[in-house]
Amino acid sequence: MKPMARLGVGIGWRPEIAEAVERLGHLDWVEVVAENVCPGHLPASLLRLRERGVRIVPHGVSLGLGGADRPDPAKLAALGERAVALGAPLVTEHIAFVRTSSPVLEAGHLLPVPRTRDALDVLCENVRIAQDALPVPLALENIAALVSWPGEELTEARFLTELVERTGVRLLIDVANLHTNRVNRGEDPAGVLDGIPLEALAYVHVAGGVERDGVWHDTHAHPVPPVVLDVLAALRERVDPPGVLLERDDDFPAEAELAAELVRIREVVTATTGTGPGTAAAGVRPGAGDTPDAEGPGSAPDADGGGADPGVRDTPALDAARTRVGLGQAALLSALVAGTPVPEGFDRQRIRVQARALTAKRASVVAKVAPELPEMLGGPDAYRTAFLGYARNRPMTSGYRRDALDFAEHLLIQDLPADPAARRRLTAWWRDRSGARPPGRIVRWARALTGRAA
């Protein structure tokens, strides 16, 4: 596998900290959530960073390559468009599933795939489909998880290794996720780092979290704790990572605190103790080359035996594996978001914790997507109470923006909010954003409410 070009030390670009990011000294690169930018209307801040020579990498969160279904061509095309618009050297996504098609459910979150042969076969073929469609190489991130699948056949290290061997995909290793899985699933970060092909490393994520009642929550809203920096140091002892990135998604601190975190990360990364077997993989000089490797679009396996997989490609056997994986994922996701029974073998308490976390995240993201809703409903507390009541019986089926509209419909059908002026505002808000839709029962009721509110 060809060496990666150096990215250096960077930070996740978010609109809330755009100005602070621009002012950070010694900033080598940034990563953006791919779904949050539009290729034809890139934020001015990103354009200025790109003009300065700061590299920008789009990081996808919605492909669900670990899901039972084949990747959505439209989502792949959208990710590729963002890579081209940003001049990105690569794109990244996650080893996770985020939805099911039967029943149609959205997690709104990255959920772990079972480490089974079936799931690995499905993931590998989905990765190949993505590689063929994308204009730049792809790297995949290990995720944090609260729950473990029963009956797993492979360790995390073996699962990741076989994925790389069979597809040639790069790895994005999140050291905070390794710590999360140590607390939540008893997995040793050192064992994972010792068992994976570090020559496939594209870059590294570092983020903060918090432990509550024996569960580590990967919040990206807290400072990076020393224990996560220790995992980064352990990785650095084994390999000189091509890039390291600080992630912060909420409760943004003062600019000086962000800068200080980057300094601490850089101090770990620039340590000279790393003499492990993987260090040779990072032997490209900073700034060398315009792409992460010379493999071209799709980052196919090396022709010299670097991992071409002679295995199944959408054969009846793979179709059967997709069915089995889909049934398991649907049962788990339905238990998490629709209140159906917990599948046999899962830790019921952990499922309850995960379900509460998903609902809380859903409420928070909808409030960000539609910030008018809390204000119209009388403030954050009133909004949260109303949304949690709605979410208990209404699983998300089509993303957060649709969820915001469905929540508004739900309230209007119940003649809520109680204040007539607030109800008129909510009705106007809903009509303005819902667009033309077939006049089904809910729409007819909403129109009736519109007439009554007028």
Side-chain angles (χ1 to χ4, degrees), residues 38-105:
C38 178
H41 304 279
L42 294 175
S45 172
L46 285 180
L47 294 176
R48 288 191 293 269
L49 287 170
R50 191 175 63 179
E51 289 170 1
R52 282 168 41 190
V54 175
R55 285 186 169 182
I56 305 171
V57 174
H59 184 55
V61 297
S62 66
L63 271 183
L65 292 174
D69 296 322
R70 294 168 183 80
D72 183 342
K75 291 183 182 296
L76 284 172
L79 184 57
E81 288 171 359
R82 283 149 179 80
V84 171
L86 294 167
L90 78 164
V91 296
T92 58
E93 249 286 354
H94 299 83
I95 302 169
F97 82 100
V98 297
R99 66 182 62 86
T100 59
S101 58
S102 181
V104 177
L105 296 172

Side-chain angles (χ1 to χ4, degrees), residues 215-306:
V215 174
W216 187 270
H217 297 271
D218 181 45
T219 63
H220 292 194
H222 292 80
V224 177
V227 68
V228 170
L229 291 177
D230 288 344
V231 181
L232 177 62
L235 180 146
R236 178 63 183 86
E237 290 173 356
R238 293 161 171 81
V239 67
D240 182 7
V244 179
L245 183 117
L246 170 64
E247 286 190 297
R248 187 71 179 244
D249 294 327
D250 209 347
D251 291 341
F252 298 102
E255 185 175 332
E257 292 181 48
L258 282 177
E261 286 206 299
L262 282 174
V263 168
R264 286 193 291 272
I265 289 170
R266 193 180 292 274
E267 287 172 351
V268 175
V269 173
T270 55
T272 57
T273 56
T275 57
T279 53
V284 182
R285 295 187 309 276
D290 292 327
T291 58
D293 52 45
E295 296 167 3
S299 188
D302 293 339
D304 60 358

Side-chain angles (χ1 to χ4, degrees), residues 33 86 91 96-97 108 114 122 131 142 149 177 200 298 323 340 359 387 439:
V33 177
L86 294 167
V91 296
F97 82 100
V122 170
Q131 289 172 321
N142 61 304
W149 284 81
N177 291 349
T323 298
T340 58
T359 304
F387 188 89

Side-chain angles (χ1 to χ4, degrees), residues 185-215:
R185 304 203 288 184
E187 297 172 355
D188 179 23
V192 176
L193 293 175
D194 285 340
I196 61 175
L198 289 173
E199 67 274 12
L201 184 64
Y203 61 87
V204 177
H205 273 174
V206 184
V210 63
E211 186 171 351
R212 300 191 190 98
D213 300 323
V215 174

